[in-house]
Amino acid sequence: MGVYYFYSEFFFDENSWNTQSVSVENEKFARELCGKGNAMELNTDHFWVGPGKVYLDYEEPVYYQTSPENTIKKFIYRGCTLLLCQMPVLSHTNYKEKFNQFKKQLSGMAIDYMIVPRLPVSILKPDLVRYFGRKRLPFILLDANNEQELKEVKWEWIQQAQGLTQIPLLLVTEVQTKNENKKIAGTWESIVETYGIFTIIESSLAVPLSKNMLKMTGISPYKGEILAQASADYNLYLQHKVQSIDEQPEFRYHKAIPEVTVAKGRVIKVNHIIQCLEGSGSYTHVSIPRHFI
């Protein structure tokens, strides 16, 4: 779409509405346009605007899909412009090779992507934390089946390994009993407080990641927000599909389906038809976690 700009009175940003003027140049949001003479004005009168959504493939991991292209299209349909793909790590011996193989496997994706390792807490070691931190991955998912697994980890070593990169650890519990879940949660809270483990609490990993999580992990400011020098990712939604959008205390942004999705300044979905090509996405990594908080 080249160099262009637009203005909207209906920008949705983390549960609030505001007015904003946006300029796009060289695939990024710009403070000022260098080539103003050639800039095109985009008419968004019938739309409200939101940032590109960042999803973790939590409920439908790309890794396990026989047809990952269809799964990726489902996320694009929802307005996703950055997909975090889980990579299962079940062994401590081959995780580096597995990371490189998975990264190569994802090279044909239609939108930008990151990798999130997911591993049992029982195999967590400092070298894993240091390696994935140096690779500037957004976070590590930890699966815990019981509180004893948590107690057996050398957390003082893990805390030291987090020191340079500050890569967060997110605990995932899928135990069936509420009592066991409560025990695991209590033990994890105690470990975090005692050892100063860098972690993030997110209410749900099945919806777009919150602005706080984007900042805490270092995904923002490059992705997930409409800021100068960030990737020009945004969604346009038809106004008539939201009644009285300025009076919506129960409005659920994550459920809204955009009419138009733009990634890196280019339209990738319009009228519910996905237009991006396989391989047009890029592997990316995080900035400095918590740097912009």
Side-chain angles (χ1 to χ4, degrees):
M1 293 173 64
V3 181
Y4 62 96
Y5 62 95
F6 62 92
Y7 169 85
S8 176
E9 295 181 349
F10 299 106
F11 265 90
F12 185 80
D13 183 25
E14 196 75 356
N15 299 322
S16 65
W17 297 93
N18 57 67
T19 299
Q20 194 168 342
S21 180
V22 171
S23 301
V24 175
E25 187 172 22
N26 296 327
E27 301 184 352
K28 295 182 179 181
F29 295 120
R31 288 189 178 89
E32 294 183 1
L33 294 176
C34 297
K36 287 185 177 179
N38 299 320
M40 174 183 66
E41 182 177 7
L42 193 67
N43 187 338
T44 60
D45 288 348
H46 300 293
F47 299 93
W48 57 274
V49 186
K53 298 178 183 179
V54 179
Y55 276 94
L56 172 70
D57 65 345
Y58 186 69
E59 294 184 324
E60 196 171 353
V62 170
Y63 186 90
Y64 293 113
Q65 304 307 312
T66 55
S67 180
E69 297 82 7
N70 291 334
T71 299
I72 294 162
K73 286 180 180 178
K74 291 179 185 178
F75 284 104
I76 296 173
Y77 182 80
R78 300 179 212 169
C80 176
T81 55
L82 173 67
L83 184 61
L84 278 53
C85 300
Q86 298 172 85
M87 180 191 75
V89 179
L90 302 178
S91 170
H92 185 265
T93 58
N94 66 344
Y95 63 90
K96 294 180 182 179
E97 293 81 359
K98 191 158 192 167
F99 171 78
N100 290 323
Q101 290 171 2
F102 190 45
K103 182 179 175 183
K104 184 177 181 180
Q105 178 184 336
L106 294 174
S107 61
M109 279 186 53
I111 55 172
D112 290 352
Y113 56 95
M114 291 183 179
I115 294 175
V116 172
R118 182 170 182 172
L119 54 131
V121 70
S122 58
I123 71 166
L124 182 64
K125 303 290 182 184
D127 58 327
L128 275 160
V129 176
R130 284 192 292 267
Y131 178 78
F132 292 131
R134 288 196 301 269
K135 293 297 181 181
R136 296 167 69 183
L137 306 188
F139 51 88
I140 298 172
L141 286 172
L142 296 177
D143 285 299
N145 295 315
N146 55 69
E147 60 176 334
Q148 186 59 36
E149 288 183 340
L150 290 169
K151 292 178 179 179
E152 291 176 356
V153 176
K154 303 293 184 182
W155 290 109
E156 61 273 22
W157 296 356
I158 301 300
Q159 190 276 334
Q160 290 176 8
Q162 280 186 307
L164 290 177
T165 63
Q166 298 189 359
I167 184 172
L169 306 178
L170 271 70
L171 188 69
V172 179
T173 56
E174 296 182 349
V175 182
Q176 297 298 319
T177 64
K178 291 184 179 180
N179 186 46
E180 188 63 36
N181 273 323
K182 189 175 181 180
K183 287 182 180 179
I184 293 172
T187 300
W188 177 241
E189 184 178 345
S190 176
I191 288 169
V192 168
E193 183 177 351
T194 301
Y195 296 99
I197 299 298
F198 181 27
T199 187
I200 299 173
I201 298 174
E202 188 80 343
S203 58
S204 175
L205 294 174
V207 300
L209 302 189
S210 66
K211 180 187 287 190
N212 179 64
M213 187 166 182
L214 296 177
K215 290 181 176 179
M216 293 289 283
T217 57
I219 295 172
S220 172
Y222 181 64
K223 286 284 188 179
E225 293 199 74
I226 299 178
L227 299 171
Q229 295 305 305
S231 179
D233 302 349
Y234 59 92
N235 288 302
L236 301 178
Y237 305 80
L238 286 174
Q239 284 194 24
H240 70 76
K241 292 191 176 181
V242 179
Q243 302 299 321
S244 302
I245 60 177
D246 55 341
E247 300 175 358
Q248 283 283 320
E250 300 299 322
F251 178 61
R252 295 292 182 264
Y253 171 64
H254 70 271
K255 292 184 178 180
I257 302 298
E259 192 77 7
V260 178
T261 298
V262 176
K264 294 185 285 191
R266 299 189 299 270
V267 174
I268 63 171
K269 189 192 85 165
V270 62
N271 296 328
H272 305 299
I273 298 174
I274 296 169
Q275 298 183 338
C276 51
L277 300 174
E278 297 300 321
S280 56
S282 301
Y283 173 75
T284 187
H285 48 66
V286 302
S287 178
I288 303 172
R290 299 187 291 179
H291 182 66
F292 294 92
I293 294 179

